[in-house]
Amino acid sequence: MAIKLRNEYGPVLHMPTLKENFKEKCPQNASDSYGHKQYPANQGQEVEYLVTGTHPYPPGPGVALTADTKIQRMPSESAAQSLAVALPSSQTRVDANRSAPTGGEYRHPGASDRSQPAGMTSAVMEAGNAKNSALMAKKAPTMPKPQWHPPWKLYRVISGHLGWVRCIAVEPGNQWFVTGSADRTIKIWDLASGKLKLSLTGHISTVRGVIVSTRSPYLFSCGEDKQVKCWDLEYNKVIRHYHGHLSAVYGLDLHPTIDVLVTCSRDSTARIWDVRTKASVHTLSGHTNAVATVRCQAAEPQIITGSHDTTIRLWDLVAGKTRVTLTNHKKSVRAVVLHPRHYTFASGSPDNIKQWKFPDGSFIQNLSGHNAIINTLTVNSDGVLVSGADNGTMHLWDWRTGYNFQRVHAAVQPGSLDSESGIFACAFDQSESRLLTAEADKTIKVYKEDDTATEETHPVSWKPEIIKRKRF
């Protein structure tokens, strides 16, 4: 053992140290803890600093600092803090705030602090972190105060369908709206009075999607009969069929700037169609279960799909391939909505509602609390997000903060079972002053803002919740 100590520590015993204060602490003929004789520093020799301990310098007993590793004379505050966290607590008191070591702080390379067991070292480091928490403490971020929105109230119930109302769309002129139902009909209603204007028949199964074109007098519909139809509203008849899906077609959307129609189906694909030629431009394959919803926009990515396989895919329209696959949801995604002003979108699933940022689908935040199967989402320019669920509940959220400011559960209409309480689709009209819902009790309900409500009568019950961050 003595030979090993002499071989390992003998060479460094002759390394120079600071002369000041060293004689007082270590007499000339004193021995160290290993029994080796100590030697005084040479008078005229240039002083070099000795570093003990571990991080961030090379390991080994008493390594002399080189030009590359010398400690800065005036370390920055952040550097001092990071050094304080890295060093053991006994070192922290000495080393965290110093500009350079002095002779009084010299420690022999064989001192006990350096040779602590690993478990003890980690415990000491945790203690050091606790002691230095004052240095590291920062103000915890809080959830910003949500914008106040007036509550919405039910003011009209429209009846006429003989089956579940599965889809709804408002025409660009804001004069009428269209609904599709499980009774296999498409009905057009006057928006102001709620009176039935027209019924269209042609589907042989439930109508699952309707949309009115902003570029031509066309209405598009799809259903569980695998059919996609284009209706000419000047003649009120079908002028085109788009054949290709192998199973029920669950949704559709029109591209805002080019004559392209996108449909999604239970056959796990979405298809892009040329509106005029009826040609299938692309088949978007990649989902492993039914594709429940599809949305288009003019910016990249131009197509977004949500599926029962729990994923959301952002697609390259030109290549017909997936750009990004978002796998954060744990349950099926039945609804996707794009914000009309911001470059963001939201997706709805039984686990929660999630907000994302384009173009790469960066996650923004969760909107938790609507614990049901969410069938539909819609949002207006004021940042009111509406989610409708299978159990008939409707939640209204502040888009920016995710604050749930209202919950609605309208009673089912007479003649319907209580179990027929479900919202399958919802949409704002073009003025965003009315909210329409398509429901399982065979009705369309129309909501509007409560004009008598104020911030005093309906205050925001909000508390600045501290966002908890993971501590390392």
Side-chain angles (χ1 to χ4, degrees):
M1 187 68 177
I3 295 172
K4 182 179 180 183
L5 289 173
R6 190 178 302 107
N7 290 339
E8 288 185 2
Y9 294 102
V12 299
L13 294 180
H14 299 279
M15 295 182 70
T17 61
L18 285 178
K19 187 175 181 182
E20 292 80 16
N21 299 326
F22 187 71
K23 288 184 180 180
E24 301 173 11
K25 300 223 175 209
C26 300
Q28 225 170 11
N29 296 323
S31 298
D32 64 7
S33 57
Y34 293 99
H36 294 292
K37 189 175 179 181
Q38 300 256 355
Y39 296 93
N42 294 329
Q43 291 286 342
Q45 194 170 348
E46 185 182 349
V47 174
E48 288 187 280
Y49 298 120
L50 290 181
V51 176
T52 62
T54 55
H55 181 84
Y57 302 102
V63 178
L65 285 177
T66 65
D68 297 329
T69 57
K70 278 190 179 178
I71 299 177
Q72 297 178 3
R73 292 296 187 269
M74 294 297 291
S76 64
E77 185 180 353
S78 60
Q81 290 176 3
S82 62
L83 187 60
V85 172
L87 291 173
S89 60
S90 57
Q91 283 282 89
T92 301
R93 290 191 295 272
V94 176
D95 297 330
N97 298 313
R98 71 180 181 181
S99 59
T102 61
E105 293 160 357
Y106 171 79
R107 183 181 290 104
H108 189 271
S112 59
D113 275 341
R114 188 188 63 81
S115 56
Q116 288 175 342
M120 189 181 298
T121 303
S122 61
V124 172
M125 288 181 68
E126 289 176 7
N129 288 342
K131 291 179 183 177
N132 288 278
S133 60
L135 289 174
M136 303 296 290
K138 293 182 180 179
K139 187 177 179 182
T142 59
M143 174 180 149
K145 185 174 182 179
Q147 177 186 346
W148 182 81
H149 300 284
W152 292 70
K153 62 180 182 180
L154 176 68
Y155 84 99
R156 177 175 289 156
V157 178
I158 301 171
S159 300
H161 277 295
L162 302 177
W164 290 355
V165 187
R166 298 301 306 247
C167 51
I168 193 165
V170 181
E171 63 99 11
N174 214 39
Q175 299 299 310
W176 47 269
F177 67 95
V178 57
T179 55
S181 168
D183 63 10
R184 299 171 295 179
T185 66
I186 298 167
K187 292 184 183 290
I188 295 176
W189 313 81
D190 184 74
L191 185 60
S193 65
K195 292 182 179 179
L196 181 64
K197 297 179 69 172
L198 184 67
S199 290
L200 302 173
T201 57
H203 282 282
I204 58 174
S205 187
T206 301
V207 182
R208 292 293 295 264
V210 289
I211 190 168
V212 185
S213 174
T214 59
R215 299 161 56 85
S216 54
Y218 293 158
L219 164 68
F220 295 86
S221 65
C222 64
E224 294 181 2
D225 53 9
K226 311 178 192 175
Q227 297 185 38
V228 181
K229 298 176 182 286
C230 174
W231 304 77
D232 188 326
L233 296 175
E234 293 178 348
Y235 300 96
N236 297 328
K237 65 179 185 181
V238 178
I239 59 171
R240 296 188 185 100
H241 286 93
Y242 302 88
H243 296 287
H245 279 297
L246 305 177
S247 189
V249 186
Y250 283 165
L252 76 175
D253 200 13
L254 284 167
H255 195 283
T257 57
I258 57 178
D259 287 331
V260 161
L261 172 70
V262 186
T263 57
C264 61
S265 170
R266 195 171 64 189
D267 63 12
S268 305
T269 67
R271 285 180 178 261
I272 302 172
W273 311 89
D274 186 310
V275 169
R276 292 166 294 182
T277 66
K278 302 182 289 185
S280 178
V281 180
H282 286 301
T283 299
L284 306 179
S285 55
H287 284 293
T288 58
N289 206 328
V291 185
T293 182
V294 63
R295 288 291 177 267
C296 293
Q297 64 175 358
E300 293 292 337
Q302 297 182 57
I303 298 172
I304 304 97
T305 57
S307 170
H308 289 308
D309 66 7
T310 76
T311 67
I312 301 162
R313 286 179 180 255
L314 313 182
W315 300 86
D316 185 324
L317 175 62
V318 177
K321 295 181 179 178
T322 304
R323 289 178 46 144
V324 181
T325 302
L326 307 177
T327 59
N328 301 45
H329 280 294
K330 298 296 179 285
K331 295 185 179 180
S332 58
V333 181
R334 297 173 184 241
V336 168
V337 65
L338 279 59
H339 194 284
R341 291 184 178 174
H342 303 160
Y343 199 37
T344 56
F345 72 103
S347 58
S349 174
D351 52 9
N352 50 38
I353 300 167
K354 295 181 185 291
Q355 287 180 343
W356 315 85
K357 186 177 180 180
F358 287 124
D360 299 320
S362 304
F363 176 75
I364 300 174
Q365 64 180 346
N366 278 326
L367 281 63
S368 301
H370 202 169
N371 301 316
I373 298 173
I374 295 173
N375 289 322
T376 178
L377 293 172
T378 188
V379 64
N380 66 10
S381 300
D382 292 333
V384 176
L385 174 67
V386 181
S387 57
D390 241 13
N391 59 2
T393 59
M394 184 169 68
H395 286 201
L396 290 88
W397 314 78
D398 177 53
W399 179 274
R400 184 174 63 91
T401 61
Y403 170 70
N404 180 206
F405 69 88
Q406 188 183 5
R407 299 183 180 188
V408 180
H409 192 176
V412 298
Q413 294 307 294
S416 296
L417 301 173
D418 285 340
S419 59
E420 289 185 317
S421 176
I423 301 173
F424 293 118
C426 63
F428 287 101
D429 71 346
Q430 303 299 335
S431 68
E432 298 183 339
S433 61
R434 283 168 286 204
L435 172 65
L436 300 93
T437 61
E439 308 209 4
D441 61 0
K442 310 179 185 67
T443 66
I444 301 106
K445 294 184 173 70
V446 186
Y447 295 82
K448 66 178 180 180
E449 290 181 341
D450 188 350
D451 297 331
T452 63
T454 64
E455 291 194 50
E456 287 72 29
T457 60
H458 294 78
V460 175
S461 58
W462 162 84
K463 293 180 181 178
E465 299 177 4
I466 295 177
I467 300 173
K468 295 181 180 179
R469 295 188 180 276
K470 185 177 179 182
R471 292 186 64 189
F472 293 94

